[in-house]
Amino acid sequence: MAERSHITGGEAVVRALAAHGTDLVFGIPGTHNLELYRHLGRYGIQHLTPRHEQGAGYAADGYARTTGRPGVAVTTTGPALLNIAAAVGQAYSDSVPLLVISPGMPLRHPRQSTGLLHEMPSQTEAFRHIAAFSHRVSSVAEIGVAVARAFTLFQSGRPRPVHIEIPLDLLETAEPAGEPRVAPWTAFPRPAPQAVAEAAAVLGAARRPALILGGGARGASDAARALAKRLGAPVVTSANGKGVVPESHPLSLGVALHSPAVQKWLTDRDVVLAVGTELAESDLWSGPLTLNGTLIRVDLDPAQMYAGLPADLALVGDAGEVLRDLLAAVAQCPGDDTPAAVAQLRAARDPESASRDARWLPFLTVIRSVLAPDAVITSDSAQACYYGALPHLPVDPPGRYLHPTGFGTLGYALPAAIGAKAACPERQVVALSGDGGLQFSVQELGTATQLGLPLPVVVFDNGGYGEIRDEMTARGDAPVGVDLPSVDLPALARAYGGHGARVTTPDELAAALRAALTTPGPTVITVPEAVSESVPEEADR
């Protein structure tokens, strides 16, 4: 496409996105961003319209987690931008490359309020505290610089969300823009050879090693599996690390950092190698781990070496590169752990929550049996997801499990599934949610219908906010505000142009899920749960 000396700010935004390979944006047109929308088709960028900006943010998040490429969302000013704030907070918590672009007040807008439509004191100040940075540009030429800055962050460090604000008068103004700026490819940091050698020597001498893998290890699946085998080291993951190594592997403990039995076992390890994980309360569901052995941490973010549990040995760099270096340097480990020992630990772990989790297991088993190995599963902050699917629905590296960890937003599963399906229409994508969480973003059933691709949404219905109900009961309080009137969610899906079913047995769920995977549009499948009167064993989740 021939370059012109003067282009509008709206075109400069779209041109910069196209230069970085953006092929799809999520957003809602508004009075102040129409000049940007004018140019999307000209630059070959597709657009999907969610029903709420929070849904746009979660959809872009799901797109990013599934593809490994940045997700892009466009809002208009004021309330629209604030609507996406929760999704930006979730992306920050889970290290997701999310770019949010919005108009802002005009360049020379007075600080004194004038009552301009969608006016607020400072959008950039608001987002500076929830994103990696918020950049307000002051010229058309600066737009390309700001977008390149965002993509440089995404590909050279710990990926986190970015907000770029374009003054609304600048969107319509034609100015010199120069050649498109493209983020340079930069090498990840790499630990010094002597640091790798020291860590390899410690690992090679370990008799009771363990691996903890987080979301930062996702690109290191093969190396992590090979290193675990060489060390004879069992592997436990965080929620974001789910499926980095096959959960069917004999050395895998799956998502079990929250298990008291596994935490006690980790205390006794002489060496723990933690890769791409914060070891945070949201991973542990409790206070900090107590480790008596040497802690080796591998992370792209140097700050993680001092967060939570400080590293005894710190290896700053890309997880895949560092683990491959360790694999080349470490000798065969005389570790005592065997698959039989891991099986014994699993046997000690599972009874801790057996009575609580039993209601979900038969349904999760059939979900796994129906889905393809490379299926993408999204989940919500729902009991059936963090108590049920995270530890009990196995995922291997070809698939993905997307969960809103840390920030813990509700309403993530459905729009994230839309983003994943839009990114990979040929792959199976299934959303898991609860009735309370789904209703935070249930309007996105309209978006899923518009997308026109098969998208099952399995909803475990416990009559409201089950976790908070259980916490109130555990405190000895009478439940208040947690019991929601029953909603016919399958009928609501049909009202949006989708499909719905209500099942009560695993066999019925299997049949409904198989049908939903080949039926265009969303299919909401509800699984009613009996509301338990008992206090859960881990009511402080």
Side-chain angles (χ1 to χ4, degrees), residues 355-371:
S355 61
R356 180 197 63 203
D357 301 348
R359 54 182 151 162
W360 300 301
L361 296 187
F363 296 98
L364 296 172
T365 298
V366 300
I367 290 173
R368 180 68 277 170
S369 69
V370 169
L371 294 184

Side-chain angles (χ1 to χ4, degrees), residues 162-493:
V162 170
H163 168 237
I164 296 176
E165 178 178 293
I166 319 295
L168 62 91
D169 54 342
L170 204 60
L171 281 173
E172 303 279 352
T173 300
E175 292 183 355
E179 295 294 320
R181 305 273 185 158
V182 179
W185 286 104
T186 56
F188 289 119
R190 202 159 188 167
Q194 59 267 32
V196 174
E198 183 180 1
V202 171
L203 286 168
R207 298 199 63 84
R208 298 183 310 282
L211 264 64
I212 300 177
L213 303 178
R218 183 150 298 283
S221 178
D222 291 343
R225 179 167 36 181
L227 189 58
K229 181 179 179 181
R230 180 168 299 180
L231 297 174
V235 178
V236 60
T237 77
S238 69
N240 280 337
K242 182 175 176 67
V244 170
V245 299
E247 294 190 300
S248 56
H249 194 283
L251 287 174
S252 174
L253 291 165
V255 180
L257 275 177
H258 59 281
S259 161
V262 171
Q263 291 183 10
K264 180 180 179 181
W265 170 80
L266 285 168
T267 300
D268 187 50
R269 301 300 90 191
D270 55 353
V271 180
V272 174
L273 176 61
V275 185
T277 175
E278 294 179 318
L279 298 177
E281 186 276 339
S282 56
D283 298 316
L284 303 167
W285 303 1
S286 63
L289 279 174
T290 299
L291 299 181
N292 294 324
T294 300
L295 175 61
I296 305 172
R297 297 193 70 163
V298 177
D299 207 289
L300 194 59
D301 183 357
Q304 289 306 306
M305 302 304 169
Y306 315 102
L309 287 177
D312 296 310
L313 294 174
L315 301 176
V316 177
D318 172 72
E321 292 182 353
V322 174
L323 290 190
R324 284 188 288 272
D325 287 347
L326 286 173
L327 191 60
V330 73
Q332 192 77 24
C333 176
D336 293 335
D337 284 305
T338 65
V342 175
Q344 291 176 0
L345 184 56
R346 289 175 181 166
R349 174 201 66 191
D350 293 342
E352 295 171 338
S353 58
S355 61
R356 180 197 63 203
D357 301 348
R359 54 182 151 162
W360 300 301
L361 296 187
F363 296 98
L364 296 172
T365 298
V366 300
I367 290 173
R368 180 68 277 170
S369 69
V370 169
L371 294 184
D374 68 343
V376 178
I377 302 165
T378 67
S379 76
D380 232 318
S381 291
Q383 288 182 314
C385 297
Y386 49 74
Y387 290 145
L390 271 176
H392 300 300
L393 198 163
V395 172
D396 287 354
R400 286 300 308 270
Y401 189 96
L402 315 184
H403 184 73
T405 311
F407 206 53
T409 52
L410 284 164
Y412 174 84
L414 173 56
I418 291 170
K421 191 67 175 178
C424 302
E426 74 288 348
R427 289 174 69 175
Q428 294 177 347
V429 178
V430 175
L432 305 180
S433 190
D435 57 305
L438 182 69
Q439 291 182 75
F440 274 62
S441 58
V442 72
Q443 69 277 359
E444 303 306 341
L445 289 171
T447 313
T449 299
Q450 184 178 354
L451 187 62
L453 297 171
L455 187 62
V457 183
V458 180
V459 182
F460 292 88
D461 186 344
N462 61 13
Y465 303 120
E467 179 67 29
I468 309 307
R469 179 194 296 125
D470 290 343
E471 290 185 17
M472 287 178 169
T473 301
R475 288 165 51 91
D477 299 340
V480 176
V482 292
D483 297 317
L484 302 181
S486 178
V487 176
D488 190 342
L489 294 171
L492 184 58

